[in-house]
Amino acid sequence: MSKVIIMDHPLIQHKIGIMRKKTTSTKEFRALVAEVAGLIYYEASRDLPLADKVIETPLMKTTVKEIAGKKLCVVPILRAGLHMADGILNLTPNAKVGHIGLYRDEETLEPVEYFCKMPSDAAVRHIFLVDPMLATGGSAVAAIDLLKKRGIEKIRFLCLIAAPEGVKRLQEAHPDVDIYIGALDTKLNEHGYILPGLGDAGDRIYGTK
Ligand code: PRP
Ligand code: URA
């Protein structure tokens, strides 16, 4: 079964608290999405393999560490994942980026795919799939289905807020994908929104409601 890692760092808890407030502005909300994503990524990248590399400092040769192999790929689920990707790219600007376009049908709550574009070497990279909200889990499961159909296997999923229902569905569908969560909330409401949550993440990032 996959690992579920719930963040307990005070900075993350503090910033998510601000994001939850309905009075937080679009500008501040957007900045916080990127900041919190970077902090979660710090934890989610903790076990990346390192390799030794010999370099020269201004004084002498020495051996330093660098992340081994073909490295990293960030994959935001559109729309709301895009700003999480920005926060991650601030820390690892050389990571490649794939995009998956999915939206939730408002009636059925099932994900509808509209876009998928991945780097050609994504299968040999560590994939950080990001979406602020893990609600029913339908979008995350569908995104990972799409990646696996392309032969992409080394996947971690990062979200800001999760509902227990989404965590369960994702773990059952993809027991090999570790899940990194900023805050684990109580439950879903009858419209599939996370409670207490922060509302519609895409609308709050882009000011579309
Ligand atoms: C939101 C969110 C996730 C999805 C989570 O996106 O960003 O992708 O809902 O819900 P689920 O776990 O029940 O699938 P939305 O469908 O609102 O699309 P948007 O990002 O384009 O606004
Ligand atoms: N999508 C969101 O943006 N928010 C929720 O609470 C659930 C799904």
Side-chain angles (χ1 to χ4, degrees):
M1 192 52 85
S2 63
K3 280 189 286 180
V4 177
I5 301 97
I6 302 163
M7 302 297 128
D8 59 2
H9 196 288
L11 281 178
I12 297 179
Q13 300 313 307
H14 178 85
K15 287 173 190 288
I16 289 179
I18 300 171
M19 297 178 74
R20 291 185 191 278
K21 289 188 205 165
K22 64 179 179 187
T23 50
T24 296
S25 68
T26 300
K27 181 180 168 203
E28 195 181 1
F29 188 90
R30 198 182 289 149
L32 285 164
V33 170
E35 282 175 25
V36 177
L39 293 168
I40 297 174
Y41 178 62
Y42 181 78
E43 189 58 41
S45 56
R46 183 177 287 281
D47 63 346
L48 286 175
L50 289 170
D52 287 342
K53 185 178 187 185
V54 177
I55 58 122
E56 280 188 53
T57 76
L59 301 175
M60 61 177 283
K61 276 192 181 170
T62 190
T63 304
V64 296
K65 300 285 182 193
E66 65 170 27
I67 295 170
K70 267 284 194 176
K71 312 199 176 155
L72 314 173
C73 178
V74 189
V75 182
I77 300 179
L78 307 180
R79 296 175 292 170
L82 276 176
H83 276 275
M84 286 185 74
D86 286 348
I88 290 172
L89 290 169
N90 283 338
L91 295 173
T92 47
N94 290 327
K96 289 198 174 176
V97 183
H99 293 87
I100 295 179
L102 289 175
Y103 68 86
R104 251 186 3 166
D105 182 286
E106 283 183 9
E107 303 276 300
T108 64
L109 298 182
E110 286 305 312
V112 181
E113 179 196 336
Y114 60 89
F115 189 73
C116 183
K117 181 85 180 168
M118 294 296 298
S120 55
D121 61 357
V124 295
R125 290 178 178 267
H126 296 276
I127 305 291
F128 293 80
L129 178 66
V130 299
D131 191 326
M133 310 303 277
L134 178 64
T136 65
S139 302
V141 169
I144 296 167
D145 287 342
L146 276 174
L147 294 174
K148 287 187 175 173
K149 259 189 230 151
R150 288 168 164 72
I152 297 165
E153 296 286 345
K154 286 191 286 184
I155 305 165
R156 300 151 204 234
F157 180 76
L158 281 59
C159 64
L160 306 186
I161 301 203
E165 296 89 329
V167 175
K168 183 169 182 285
R169 180 163 169 189
L170 181 48
Q171 276 198 302
E172 282 170 3
H174 295 293
D176 56 318
V177 174
D178 291 340
I179 308 171
Y180 295 83
I181 299 172
L184 181 63
D185 276 12
T186 312
K187 60 175 181 175
L188 297 176
N189 73 8
E190 64 278 21
H191 305 294
Y193 278 86
I194 301 175
L195 297 176
L198 48 70
D200 186 304
D203 286 343
R204 294 203 63 187
I205 291 169
Y206 297 107
T208 41
K209 218 169 229 169

